[in-house]
Amino acid sequence: MRKTGGTDKKRVRRQSTAVQNAAKDPNSDTPPRKQAAKDVFQLFAEKVRDHKDLESRWAVLQETRVEYFRGKDFVSFLRNHPEVKEILDSDKNLETEDIGNALLSKNLLVRCDRVVKTVRPGKRKLSTWPAHLEIFPDQVFSEQDAFFAWTFVKRRPFWQTLLSFCWPVLTLAICLFPVYPHQCKLLILYSCAGVLLLILSLLLLRGAVFGILYILVGKRMWFFPNILAEEATLRELFRFWPSKDEEEKPKWTTRLFYALVAVLIILLMRHHAPDEAARARYQKRVSNIIDDVLEWSPRLALSGMMEKQQTVVNATNPNPDVAENQTGDSTGPDAVPDQPEAEIIDNVEHSDHYNQDGDHTHQ
């Protein structure tokens, strides 16, 4: 029994050393136990990535959009959520640095560095979350000023898979807009116009608030700061409160210059504003275009095709009244009366004899 216990301890030690060697040497041939360890780290990485408490951003890494996080945020996340390590089974007691190195060795993470390493003019320090990254040459986990990007494809939720099948249906529905009933067309038109008006009003209000605060107080405050960002998630896109202004306060001469430019633009727009007649003409033109779109229907299209065919027939026969008299009107003065077939034959023979007598007399 003692020998059996001793052999079990040796097996456990060998398994732990094998897992550590697999983390250090990714190119070695891995037996099934090490492959299971890789699957465990894969599950751990997926759970950490899906967790909401780990703050992450999106950036461009070698012309590819990646999701990345900071090393210090990863350390604090594992310190506050030790239950996440339970997925690692036998490796749950590893240090945070060892877990990070294991993820790097299994190509689940890649260490990155900011592209712009100098402070830009007008700013006090480097950006907290850079928008452009590059691969760091030393792929070792670090907590200080280090960024790590996920390399695996994130699993899609089930609702996103269902939503992907709805895109062709939506495209077909957009193409069939002309054949919709009139009430549906009005609903879609007013809904789209309302959303467009809301977006434009929000952008104008956002710019006005920024301009007023910049000129009067000298602070740069953009409400909805990520609403025009290209590399932003849906949650970041509708974030209302602006981020902290890290740039230097502008000089009063600069603020006065922009104030004069704003006043000049307002005066020019007021002077060149369209009059009531021009506005009425433009409104009538736009309303005619909208009415043409709303009132179109397949029945009107078919009636228009029939009118075109009638126009073509009238063009081939420029005098339709004569054609109707020649073909359909048999009561006119020039119409040939209906005669029996025998009378028509006698008339033809009589006309032949008359022509022969006329020829003899001429001779």
Side-chain angles (χ1 to χ4, degrees):
M1 296 296 291
R2 291 180 181 178
K3 293 182 179 180
T4 305
T7 54
D8 291 337
K9 291 180 180 179
K10 291 181 180 179
R11 289 178 182 176
V12 172
R13 291 176 182 175
R14 289 176 182 175
Q15 290 177 4
S16 61
T17 55
V19 171
Q20 293 177 0
N21 293 330
K24 295 180 181 179
D25 189 8
N27 297 323
S28 62
D29 297 333
T30 56
R33 293 181 182 272
K34 297 177 184 179
Q35 186 67 31
K38 283 189 176 182
D39 297 336
V40 167
F41 278 98
Q42 176 74 33
L43 294 175
F44 172 79
E46 291 178 356
K47 186 170 183 179
V48 171
R49 187 176 183 180
D50 294 336
H51 208 286
K52 296 180 180 180
D53 291 342
L54 179 61
E55 190 175 3
S56 62
R57 293 289 190 276
W58 287 85
V60 178
L61 175 64
Q62 295 180 351
E63 300 181 357
T64 304
R65 294 184 69 250
V66 294
E67 185 180 4
Y68 73 100
F69 58 89
R70 298 179 297 182
K72 60 180 181 180
D73 294 335
F74 183 75
V75 174
S76 61
F77 170 77
L78 292 182
R79 188 186 304 117
N80 297 328
H81 300 278
E83 68 278 1
V84 181
K85 294 183 180 180
E86 299 295 331
I87 305 178
L88 299 176
D89 294 336
S90 60
D91 296 327
K92 63 182 180 180
N93 295 324
L94 293 176
E95 297 294 332
T96 304
E97 186 176 355
D98 296 332
I99 295 175
N101 290 326
L103 294 176
L104 288 170
S105 64
K106 298 176 186 301
N107 295 327
L108 296 173
L109 287 178
V110 59
R111 183 175 177 179
C112 306
D113 194 9
R114 62 178 78 245
V115 175
V116 180
K117 300 178 178 62
T118 58
V119 180
R120 294 182 179 180
K123 290 190 176 182
R124 300 176 183 176
K125 59 180 181 179
L126 294 173
S127 177
T128 307
W129 297 96
H132 296 274
L133 300 173
E134 60 183 4
I135 297 178
F136 193 74
D138 190 9
Q139 293 294 316
V140 179
F141 185 83
S142 177
E143 183 180 355
Q144 301 298 328
D145 197 21
F147 305 98
F148 300 91
W150 301 107
T151 58
F152 60 92
V153 180
K154 189 176 181 180
R155 293 184 301 176
R156 290 185 176 181
F158 183 70
W159 65 270
Q160 289 186 359
T161 305
L162 293 178
L163 187 62
S164 62
F165 289 101
C166 296
W167 288 117
V169 179
L170 180 62
T171 304
L172 183 61
I174 293 173
C175 296
L176 294 178
F177 175 78
V179 299
Y180 286 174
H182 187 73
Q183 298 296 331
C184 294
K185 289 182 180 180
L186 289 177
L187 179 62
I188 295 173
L189 176 64
Y190 291 146
S191 301
C192 295
V195 172
L196 183 60
L197 182 62
L198 177 63
I199 294 174
L200 294 177
S201 302
L202 179 62
L203 293 178
L204 290 175
L205 180 62
R206 179 172 174 264
V209 171
F210 174 83
I212 293 172
L213 293 178
Y214 182 83
I215 293 173
L216 297 180
V217 186
K219 290 189 177 182
R220 304 171 182 87
M221 296 184 64
W222 286 105
F223 294 98
F224 295 100
N226 300 322
I227 196 170
L228 298 177
E230 296 181 358
E231 285 84 17
T233 60
L234 189 62
R235 183 179 61 183
E236 296 175 355
L237 191 65
F238 294 100
R239 185 165 62 90
F240 175 76
W241 195 249
S243 57
K244 186 178 179 181
D245 187 12
E246 299 177 355
E247 300 181 6
E248 296 180 358
K249 188 175 181 179
K251 300 179 180 179
W252 68 271
T253 54
T254 306
R255 294 155 53 189
L256 180 60
F257 172 75
Y258 284 116
L260 294 176
V261 170
V263 171
L264 181 61
I265 292 174
I266 293 173
L267 292 177
L268 288 175
M269 292 178 62
R270 182 178 178 84
H271 182 267
H272 294 283
D275 54 359
E276 187 66 23
R279 188 196 61 79
R281 289 195 302 270
Y282 180 75
Q283 182 180 2
K284 184 178 180 181
R285 187 183 307 170
V286 173
S287 63
N288 290 336
I289 296 173
I290 296 176
D291 291 340
D292 292 339
V293 175
L294 293 178
E295 294 177 358
W296 188 92
S297 65
R299 187 176 301 174
L300 292 176
L302 293 176
S303 63
M305 293 174 62
M306 296 299 295
E307 290 178 358
K308 288 182 179 179
Q309 291 180 357
Q310 292 178 2
T311 305
V312 172
V313 172
N314 294 335
T316 55
N317 190 359
N319 194 355
D321 296 334
V322 175
E324 291 178 358
N325 292 331
Q326 290 178 356
T327 56
D329 191 4
S330 60
T331 59
D334 296 334
V336 179
D338 296 334
Q339 296 179 356
E341 185 178 356
E343 294 181 0
I344 293 174
I345 294 174
D346 292 339
N347 293 331
V348 171
E349 291 179 353
H350 180 72
S351 62
D352 291 339
H353 289 295
Y354 178 77
N355 292 330
Q356 290 179 1
D357 294 339
D359 293 337
H360 288 297
T361 55
H362 286 295
Q363 293 178 357

